[in-house]
Amino acid sequence: MRKLKYYVACTVDGFIAREDGSFDCFPMEGEHFADLFDSFPETFPAHFQEARGIRAENKQFDAVLMGRKTYEVGLNFGVTNPYPTLKQYVFSRTMEATPDENIELVSDNPVAVVKELKKETGKDIWLCGGGALATTLFSEIDEMIVKLNPLIIGSGIPLFSRALDPTNLELADRKIYSNGFILLHYRLQK
């Protein structure tokens, strides 16, 4: 059975982006960057890969889930199909259509959709963000892979949009880089 993995970057104070959705404050270079590309190449948007002349096969995921605000970050720069090697789902109650035929719009019952996706064969499912969608899908998250950036921003979009029941995490793996970046793999204990 496929797993839903919340693979997400955040600050030490628990924010995945600034309040406006931007994340340009996160370090975009360093030894961790090459390591992430090697392990999770499909999570780098197509325009990023194209700019560097890189084409890599999917290693971890074959589907990505995004909330409307997460999808709109790229859309505001004209990126309508950010992850063409993945099946892309955008969850929104307000969008009526997407500007790209490769994006499947989901307007209701995200938990039921994820339960069905998990039953399909294939690689794991990447929960890209944001915090509101992660909160809605919390009961279905099997693992969290947190890219902890050595940064404090004080306010922004939190990892989860509201309080959740306390949930224990099992540390499955971790890697600490010389620049202070930490990659943490957790299994949720439910």
Side-chain angles (χ1 to χ4, degrees):
M1 189 172 196
R2 298 164 85 187
K3 292 180 181 176
L4 179 61
K5 296 183 179 181
Y6 190 17
Y7 174 72
V8 62
C10 75
T11 62
V12 170
D13 52 347
F15 297 105
I16 60 174
R18 291 185 175 141
E19 290 179 10
D20 65 0
S22 66
F23 50 89
D24 57 346
C25 54
F26 289 172
M28 296 294 184
E29 54 185 46
E31 66 177 316
H32 71 285
F33 215 69
D35 202 19
L36 293 176
F37 188 81
D38 185 53
S39 298
F40 302 94
E42 66 273 31
T43 65
F44 287 83
H47 68 281
F48 176 88
Q49 291 186 31
E50 289 168 10
R52 285 157 180 78
I54 303 167
R55 209 55 171 152
E57 67 180 62
N58 298 351
K59 290 187 176 181
Q60 307 284 333
F61 308 109
D62 60 11
V64 59
L65 313 180
M66 297 172 270
R68 176 187 54 83
K69 290 179 185 176
T70 298
Y71 178 65
E72 286 178 345
V73 169
L75 194 58
N76 290 335
F77 292 97
V79 179
T80 62
N81 185 13
Y83 307 104
T85 65
L86 302 174
K87 177 70 177 153
Q88 302 169 85
Y89 299 86
V90 172
F91 292 77
S92 174
R93 291 181 302 275
T94 58
M95 285 179 79
E96 294 181 16
T98 63
D100 196 291
E101 64 185 19
N102 296 299
I103 306 298
E104 184 170 329
L105 185 60
V106 179
S107 59
D108 60 320
N109 208 343
V111 172
V113 170
V114 170
K115 285 182 178 190
E116 288 304 312
L117 289 173
K118 286 173 127 183
K119 291 177 187 176
E120 295 175 0
T121 58
K123 295 183 185 304
D124 288 327
I125 305 159
W126 171 30
L127 173 53
C128 180
L133 182 58
T135 301
T136 299
L137 295 175
F138 185 72
S139 64
E140 293 303 311
I141 297 173
D142 299 293
E143 296 180 20
M144 290 180 61
I145 304 169
V146 179
K147 300 176 283 185
L148 187 62
N149 288 272
L151 178 68
I152 294 173
I153 59 174
S155 67
I157 299 171
L159 200 56
F160 294 99
S161 64
R162 69 180 192 300
L164 298 165
D165 290 335
T167 302
N168 291 324
L169 304 175
E170 175 190 348
L171 182 63
D173 198 7
R174 89 274 180 242
K175 186 166 184 183
I176 301 171
Y177 297 84
S178 62
N179 64 354
F181 181 93
I182 304 172
L183 185 63
L184 300 162
H185 293 252
Y186 291 109
R187 287 186 204 98
L188 277 73
Q189 304 296 300
K190 298 180 183 183

